[in-house]
């Protein structure tokens, strides 16, 4: 980490977490944050559901909810970027406080509740962005007071789909009441059918993923794998945040919301491996949860991930972490004698 980045993080950590997040986004947009530029090599170049990624290290949803910093983020070393979550109508989300750092555990708890500017505004920003060679996607959400949450996902995709390379159906956030009920096989099949129909009506046909929770039984994981394969979507993202609090030591460990960061690494990787076994590698998987190093990212790849995403580790290691992980993965591939990181997918399962 550079001296400037270390000093900036120290300053941000003296602020309220949500205010620090807003300032970090503003600093990126203002161009005051040093950025390494694209990171790629023959070993890092990855194909994910038809997308060409310069490297497999992606930015998870939640950091740039409203698509206000896509340009700078594309120069931060990420191989792909996911904005959102977006809902059909703007909403404020849950009341503050709703974000806590758990520094001792290298973790974060949030209960935002899909706060965002709404699909029409976000679609305008996505349409106006300058193409960068880094695929950009959107996390799809549902309004808290919606009468038909399943329809909300299709509505956001219809509005924003022409301007993105992929979209992720978020049925696994714990911060919108009853949202996780949509992970049940019958409800999920119906929801995904509507999203796929909306996608197929778009000229560009962006890839569609579904993001699942880590707090699932083996039977539920197998059912979701079957529904995903049958639905015609392009991949599964494993996983979102957890409601469990096992082994935490930080004072804020019992705050309400979803836990992310280092404590999630083992469980999310376990779910990933079970998905890989359930699907037989027939559908691409994305590994998310607890990644803070190149070795962590490589563990996800060996557990079945074609690509990975991170977010919480940026709170502790800075925006330059993406480039450092990508460069570290390149060195690991060289060490392991891999012509491509893709050759390692699933080898640890």
């Amino acid at each position: 980490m550079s001296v400037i980045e270390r000093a900036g993080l120290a300053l941000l950590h003296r602020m309220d977490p949500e205010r620090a997040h807003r300032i970090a986004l503003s600093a990126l947009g203002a161009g005051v944050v040093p950025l390494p530029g694209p990171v790629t090599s023959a070993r890092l170049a990855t194909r994910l559901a038809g997308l060409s990624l310069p490297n497999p290290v992606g930015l998870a949803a939640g950091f740039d909810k409203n698509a206000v910093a896509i340009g700078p983020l594309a120069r931060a070393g990420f191989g792909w970027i996911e904005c959102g979550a977006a809902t059909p109508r703007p909403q404020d989300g849950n009341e503050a406080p709703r974000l806590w750092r758990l520094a001792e555990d290298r973790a974060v708890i949030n209960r935002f509740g899909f706060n965002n500017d709404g699909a029409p505004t976000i679609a305008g920003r996505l349409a106006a962005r300058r193409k960068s060679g880094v695929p950009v996607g959107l996390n799809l959400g549902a309004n808290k007071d919606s009468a038909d949450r399943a329809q909300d996902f299709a509505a956001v995709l219809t509005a924003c789909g022409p301007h993105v390379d992929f979209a992720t159906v978020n049925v696994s956030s714990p911060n919108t009441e009853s949202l996780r009920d949509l992970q049940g096989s019958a409800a999920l099949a119906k929801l995904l059918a509507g999203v796929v129909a909306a996608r197929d009506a778009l000229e560009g046909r962006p890839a569609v993923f579904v993001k699942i929770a880590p707090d699932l039984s083996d039977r539920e994981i197998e059912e979701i794998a079957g529904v995903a394969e049958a639905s015609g979507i392009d991949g599964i993202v494993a996983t979102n945040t957890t409601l469990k609090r096992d082994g935490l030591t930080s004072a804020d460990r019992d705050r309400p919301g979803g836990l992310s960061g280092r404590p999630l690494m083992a469980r999310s990787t376990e779910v990933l491996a079970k998905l890989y076994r359930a699907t037989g590698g027939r559908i691409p998987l994305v590994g998310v949860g607890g990644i803070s190093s190149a070795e962590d990212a490589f563990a996800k790849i060996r557990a079945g991930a074609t690509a990975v995403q991170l977010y919480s580790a940026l709170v502790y290691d800075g925006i330059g972490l993406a480039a450092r992980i990508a460069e570290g993965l390149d060195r690991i591939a060289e060490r392991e004698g891999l012509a491509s990181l893709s050759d390692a997918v699933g080898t640890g399962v």
Side-chain angles (χ1 to χ4, degrees), residues 10-338:
L11 179 61
L12 290 173
H13 279 219
R14 298 175 70 176
M15 303 177 186
D16 167 78
E18 191 166 353
R19 180 173 180 237
H21 183 200
R22 291 194 296 268
I23 290 173
L25 276 174
S26 297
L28 277 169
V32 300
V33 179
L35 299 173
V39 178
T40 191
S41 72
R43 288 184 289 258
L44 290 175
T46 300
R47 292 285 292 177
L48 172 67
L51 303 173
S52 295
L53 316 182
N55 72 66
V57 182
L59 177 65
F63 183 84
D64 188 6
K65 290 177 177 288
N66 294 306
V68 297
I70 294 174
L73 288 169
R75 299 190 296 274
F78 291 103
W80 54 307
I81 295 165
E82 184 171 335
C83 302
T87 55
R89 291 174 283 108
Q91 65 180 22
D92 295 330
N94 297 319
E95 292 183 2
R98 53 189 182 178
L99 180 64
W100 297 272
R101 303 184 195 96
L102 280 64
E104 295 86 351
D105 300 299
R106 302 275 293 182
V108 173
I109 292 175
N110 91 82
R111 56 179 298 276
F112 279 116
F114 287 164
N115 56 310
N116 72 103
D117 293 342
T121 297
I122 293 172
R125 293 183 185 132
L126 289 166
R129 70 185 172 93
R130 181 178 297 177
K131 303 295 183 180
S132 64
V134 174
V136 172
L138 183 67
N139 193 277
L140 312 179
N143 281 117
K144 186 175 183 177
D145 60 352
S146 173
D148 187 349
R149 287 181 176 170
Q151 178 57 33
D152 277 14
F153 293 96
V156 176
L157 182 57
T158 297
C160 301
H163 316 301
V164 296
D165 303 299
F166 67 94
T168 301
V169 178
N170 187 350
V171 291
S172 51
S173 170
N175 298 320
T176 296
E177 186 178 354
S178 302
L179 184 71
R180 287 190 171 190
D181 293 347
L182 294 174
Q183 292 178 121
S185 56
L188 184 61
K190 181 180 178 181
L191 184 157
L192 292 180
V195 170
V196 168
R199 185 275 305 274
D200 290 346
L202 298 172
E203 185 175 347
R205 296 188 80 255
V208 171
F209 306 133
V210 63
K211 189 170 188 176
I212 67 169
D215 307 326
L216 297 168
S217 67
D218 290 357
R219 179 183 60 81
E220 289 170 326
I221 291 170
E222 290 178 0
E223 287 180 354
I224 287 173
V227 170
E229 284 196 84
S231 70
I233 66 168
D234 301 284
I236 306 173
V237 181
T239 63
N240 211 318
T241 58
T242 181
L243 291 171
K244 295 183 179 180
R245 300 291 190 266
D246 301 340
L248 300 180
T249 61
S250 300
D252 287 319
R253 60 186 176 273
D254 294 322
R255 296 290 188 176
L259 173 75
S260 58
R262 182 176 287 171
L264 192 55
M265 176 68 188
R267 176 55 184 167
S268 62
T269 307
E270 181 184 1
V271 172
L272 181 64
K274 288 177 178 179
L275 273 174
Y276 188 80
R277 284 195 294 269
T279 60
R282 292 180 297 273
I283 184 169
L285 306 177
V286 176
V288 194
I291 297 173
S292 60
S293 70
E295 292 291 349
D296 289 342
F298 191 58
K300 298 283 191 189
I301 291 169
R302 295 190 70 243
T306 298
V308 300
Q309 291 179 323
L310 58 119
Y311 173 10
S312 296
L314 303 179
V315 173
Y316 300 104
D317 295 309
I319 197 71
L321 180 63
R324 295 194 294 273
I325 289 178
E327 290 163 355
L329 281 172
D330 197 30
R331 291 191 294 270
I332 290 172
E334 183 179 24
R335 179 191 76 198
E336 299 294 320
L338 302 171

